[in-house]
Amino acid sequence: MTKMLLQVLSSASLLALSLGMPAWAQGVGTDIGTLDREAAERAFPRPPYSPPAGRNFPARPFFGDTHLHTSFSMDAGAFGARLTPRDGYRFAKGEELTASSGQRVKLARPLDFLVVADHSDNMGFFPQLFAGKPEMLADPTGRRWYDMIQTGKGADAAIEIIVSFSQGTFPKALASLPGSSAYRSAWQETIKAAEETNDPGHFTAFIGYEWTSNTGGNNLHRNVIFRDNGMKAGLVEPFTTLKPLGSDNPRDLWKWLAAYEEKTGGDVLAIAHNGNLSNGRMFPMIESFTGQPVDREYSESRARWERLYEATQIKGDGEAHPFLSPNDEFANFEKWDKGNLDLSELKKPEMLEYEYARSGLKLGLKLEQDLGTNPYKFGMIGSTDAHTGLATADEDNYFGKTSAMEPSPERTSHAFIKSEKATIYDWETSASGYAAVWATENTREALFDAMERRETYATTGPRMLVRFFGGWDFEPADAQSRSPAVAGYQKGVPMGGDLRNAPPGRSPGFLVAALKDPIGANLDRIQIVKGWLTGDGRLEEKVYDVVWADADRRKLGVDGKLPPVGNTVNVANAAWTNTIGDPELITLWRDPEFNPAQRAFYYARVLEIPTPRWTAYDAKYFGVQMPREVPTSIQERAYTSPIWYTPG
């Protein structure tokens, strides 16, 4: 560079400094004028004054039920359900109906979405029998069952029908099988009901069904949900467990799902539930169908098709178990752990690890390390599994599991399932639960996409609002915002997401917030549950109390435990007060024991203060005395989908 050129550049630099502008800016765009700060601000306007303007992330959760049965399910019909899929959708939208027991019933608040998920096996059989269809009456057994129903012996007929189906002696001439006119009619009517009640932007009616694998009484049920409309869903008929048309092996269901998508270009997913009744088969390390270790194909297929798990419902809560989590004081909640689905085999302690959501999530970490894919990387939802056509999950509006146990003075004394080995009573059923989905709008597409990305949480019934984000860059100020989601989405990932490759010396931070149900109880606390895989292959867990109500009088003890929030429940009046607890809780929590080399997951559990259980409302309404063993209060809760951490 010549001396003269150096002098010119030096002069230009001095001039730029005198103008307060960098040297490079002086020679750029000089033919359009001078760029000053006022002009630059006009070119790059400030964010909108209105905070919601321009947002593209979910602003509210939608509450619904992905697991409702109507009279189209053979078992529901046998137990007295007379409501149809159309009735189920109408009720969920807020209409008042007359229940199968003749009682008027209505939701306090409509749901945002619903899946009528009638059993695929023998779908539509009971409506055909009740109607006295010629093909039913042409068979001697069908004629006899119909006559029994018409002459007041319907209960005897129902028991005969259920027993014959479970024992494999059900008359083939009466079976409603795929390919038959009866089956096709039931499926088309199910689709029609969803299409007619679907109202994008206001109420979503999904098309779906339940595939009910129950080999040996061991529950491996899945609900199948379509993203699509009736034109695509109507191109297939539901997959059954009856061979040779169907199969009871989940691998074959996943093949059916793949075939559906290939044939139609549609989108479908499956949601497993009630691992607590599988007797160790829901989250296997050794497949029950082959006796061989879970392999890569199983792992990849399950991860592809089963993005969610129904962690709480009528047949027991499935988040955790006290045998597996002895240090978790809230693990003993609404437990069904006596045996498998029909109580033909009693529960053994060694089965429990493969039945509950938390232990399943831990097992998934191990399988991911061994196989490269985590088959149990699922989000959490709740649903009812009601067989009444009524999606009721409120404690004061609980219409039971079946139409035979709709509200009555005697229902808490009846046996729900009874075998020679054990008994489960009606009072042991739970008024649970609902699925909460963070979607951008109330449509099939938006809700389904949120389910696939696992941006969901389970609630045992109350509609509390729960946010949960994970990231490396959160600051304490983010937990002081009225809109924590702004920082949550900008700096981290929401529930259902992934964190990878920890920055050197950094621990993940979790921004968690909860707001009480507007017409429900105050909050007790928020906990974060961590599970991880150690370097020597052990699976560990820990529950942290991260923020709690009444913090001025409640402090962590030397044992790390938080004192109880208290209890204002008046059982006699089925009432409580919000004089304890807080209406909202929020905090930023960092893992104090983080190891960047270990696989881990984190999810939030939100607890309400104690409130009356449905049994307390029954006792007051009917003026009956509950037996001592019947619980009359409950701490409702929510479980978020996890956030996973994977080392680099």
Side-chain angles (χ1 to χ4, degrees), residues 212-236:
T212 315
S213 175
N214 194 38
T215 307
N218 301 310
N219 181 96
L220 289 177
H221 299 184
R222 267 79 168 174
N223 293 323
V224 175
I225 302 175
F226 297 83
R227 185 180 190 266
D228 313 307
N229 60 25
M231 291 185 64
K232 288 186 177 180
L235 295 174
V236 298

Side-chain angles (χ1 to χ4, degrees), residues 301-534:
S301 295
R302 183 157 180 170
R304 164 68 179 86
W305 298 111
E306 299 189 10
R307 310 275 292 181
L308 298 177
Y309 182 69
E310 187 179 297
T312 186
Q313 61 132 255
I314 278 173
K315 300 198 300 293
D317 193 84
E319 182 237 352
H321 191 280
F323 177 82
L324 303 172
S325 305
N327 295 322
D328 181 358
E329 61 192 300
F330 296 102
N332 190 23
F333 177 72
E334 297 288 307
K335 291 275 90 63
W336 275 35
D337 56 2
K338 298 178 183 179
N340 55 0
L341 184 59
D342 61 3
L343 296 180
S344 60
E345 181 185 10
L346 295 183
K347 192 72 64 186
K348 299 175 182 177
E350 59 267 25
M351 298 173 178
L352 296 170
E353 182 180 6
Y354 310 100
E355 297 188 347
Y356 286 84
R358 188 186 301 175
S359 56
L361 290 167
K362 290 196 294 183
L363 292 170
L365 300 178
K366 173 65 174 173
L367 288 171
E368 183 178 36
Q369 177 174 271
D370 296 342
L371 302 175
T373 304
N374 183 347
Y376 310 138
K377 195 172 184 178
F378 52 79
M380 304 272 210
I381 63 164
S383 281
T384 66
D385 192 18
H387 282 55
T388 60
L390 305 169
T392 60
D394 296 325
E395 301 290 338
D396 64 350
N397 195 23
Y398 178 50
F399 265 65
K401 164 74 172 177
T402 70
S403 294
M405 64 169 295
E406 290 179 359
S408 74
E410 301 83 19
R411 69 167 168 172
T412 53
S413 61
H414 289 166
F416 180 75
I417 301 174
K418 188 174 184 178
S419 73
E420 295 179 352
K421 300 177 179 180
T423 301
I424 295 175
Y425 290 92
D426 283 353
W427 63 260
E428 296 180 84
T429 63
S430 301
S432 184
Y434 286 138
V437 180
W438 285 102
T440 53
E441 60 182 3
N442 190 359
T443 63
R444 285 173 176 166
E445 296 78 13
L447 290 168
F448 188 96
D449 292 348
M451 292 180 190
E452 282 209 318
R453 66 175 182 265
R454 301 180 292 254
E455 198 168 351
T456 64
Y457 60 94
T459 163
T460 56
R463 304 186 196 184
M464 65 275 280
L465 187 153
V466 184
R467 288 286 200 185
F468 184 53
F469 297 94
W472 308 106
D473 301 316
F474 292 130
E475 302 171 355
D478 296 327
Q480 306 303 315
S481 169
R482 298 302 305 167
S483 300
V486 174
Y489 285 105
Q490 288 179 351
K491 299 180 180 181
V493 298
M495 58 184 79
D498 291 276
L499 296 174
R500 299 180 183 275
N501 304 334
R506 303 289 294 277
S507 295
F510 295 93
L511 185 60
V512 60
L515 184 66
K516 71 178 285 290
D517 183 324
I519 63 172
N522 278 343
L523 305 177
D524 168 10
R525 69 187 77 190
I526 300 178
Q527 300 176 309
I528 289 181
V529 179
K530 177 187 178 182
W532 70 97
L533 177 66
T534 68

